[in-house]
Amino acid sequence: MKRSMLFAVAVLLAATSAMAGPRISLVQGYSFDPLEALPELPPGLEVEEYDGEFGYYLVQFPGPVRSEWKQAAEELGVELNWYVHQYSFIARMPNAQLKAVEALPEVRWVGPYQPAYKLFPGLKQVDGRQSLIVVFHEAEDEYRLLDELVALGAGGIVTDFNQWNRSVKLDIDATRIADIASLPGVWWIEPHGEITPDNRDLQWVDQHGHTTSDTTRTIWAKGVAGSSVYCGLTD
């Protein structure tokens, strides 16, 4: 009897897992099914809605994204900018079209791209003067955003505006990081670090692992050095 009950519970759990909806998983550590519960966000890093003509949202589809689903959203003025696991995009859309997008049968859920989602992990806990990289959304007026950053107390600004990148390096007090994240045109914020060579251990670890203190290049020692070898990488 007990064995039968355990088997029934196992079957129920498996069925429940199979029916679980797709989760939105962000590099900041947030992972949630928006139809079950939204994550608890730190004070000052959450918005209910966006003012103005456009806002930035997470748009989730019910499964592997089909071109016709994307087209239905784009016909309402939605710009699906960045893919987010699972079946979601960071999207720019007219605020006036929010209800229409939510009503699309192809759309599972729509919610604000929260300020908390823009912060590199651990950045909420820093204090004092910070050196940061702030990345803008592509459609934004970068010079208007620069003015807003200066108004928040940013200094030491170095811009990197080109066809691939729209970001700035700046120094600012940590108490204003939440204010930067609350600017709708800001996509991402991370600490700035000096670029330094860091290849001392990579070669030998890649060639035989980090299981011993042996730092010899075992593959090179066998005469395999990559000469005349062509490699390809697809992402």
Side-chain angles (χ1 to χ4, degrees):
M1 181 65 176
K2 289 183 178 179
R3 185 174 299 176
S4 299
M5 290 179 64
L6 288 173
F7 178 76
V9 170
V11 171
L12 178 61
L13 289 174
T16 302
S17 176
M19 292 187 296
R23 302 180 69 83
I24 294 175
S25 298
L26 302 169
V27 68
Q28 299 83 342
Y30 298 106
S31 180
F32 57 97
D33 179 346
L35 298 190
E36 291 185 358
L38 298 177
E40 293 187 13
L41 302 178
L45 288 169
E46 185 175 13
V47 296
E48 293 293 332
E49 59 184 8
Y50 288 104
D51 298 326
E53 185 177 357
F54 290 91
Y56 288 90
Y57 298 87
L58 286 170
V59 177
Q60 188 183 48
F61 295 96
V65 183
R66 302 177 183 176
S67 58
E68 60 266 29
W69 294 353
K70 295 171 61 178
Q71 183 178 352
E74 290 166 348
E75 288 175 353
L76 293 175
V78 179
E79 300 171 22
L80 300 171
N81 293 332
W82 297 97
Y83 180 79
V84 175
H85 183 76
Q86 289 175 289
Y87 317 137
S88 307
F89 288 85
I90 300 172
R92 181 177 186 264
M93 73 170 70
N95 290 319
Q97 295 284 46
L98 176 58
K99 297 298 183 184
V101 175
E102 290 176 326
L104 287 173
E106 301 89 350
V107 170
R108 184 172 188 261
W109 177 81
V110 181
Y113 183 60
Q114 297 287 359
Y117 302 159
K118 305 176 183 182
L119 298 185
F120 185 89
L123 201 53
K124 299 186 295 294
Q125 287 77 39
V126 300
D127 56 21
R129 197 78 179 174
Q130 297 293 316
S131 182
L132 305 174
I133 298 293
V134 180
V135 185
F136 302 157
H137 286 290
E138 186 176 357
E140 297 299 314
D141 180 342
E142 61 268 40
Y143 295 102
R144 178 185 59 80
L145 281 169
L146 279 179
D147 290 341
E148 293 180 318
L149 292 172
V150 170
L152 291 175
I157 292 177
V158 179
T159 63
D160 186 9
F161 299 150
N162 53 58
Q163 61 180 324
W164 301 285
N165 194 38
R166 296 164 64 78
S167 67
V168 298
K169 173 186 173 292
L170 55 82
D171 299 319
I172 198 165
D173 192 271
T175 58
R176 307 315 297 266
I177 291 176
D179 296 321
I180 297 175
S182 296
L183 297 175
V186 168
W187 170 45
W188 178 249
I189 307 168
E190 64 182 44
H192 173 263
E194 295 297 330
I195 299 175
T196 58
D198 195 18
N199 195 31
R200 184 184 63 180
D201 297 322
L202 178 63
Q203 297 168 352
W204 67 267
V205 170
D206 276 359
Q207 293 187 36
H208 63 71
H210 200 284
T211 56
T212 71
S213 59
D214 178 14
T215 61
T216 58
R217 279 65 172 167
T218 53
I219 294 178
W220 289 357
K222 297 179 184 298
V224 180
S227 177
S228 74
V229 174
Y230 294 90
C231 297
L233 175 64
T234 300
D235 186 349

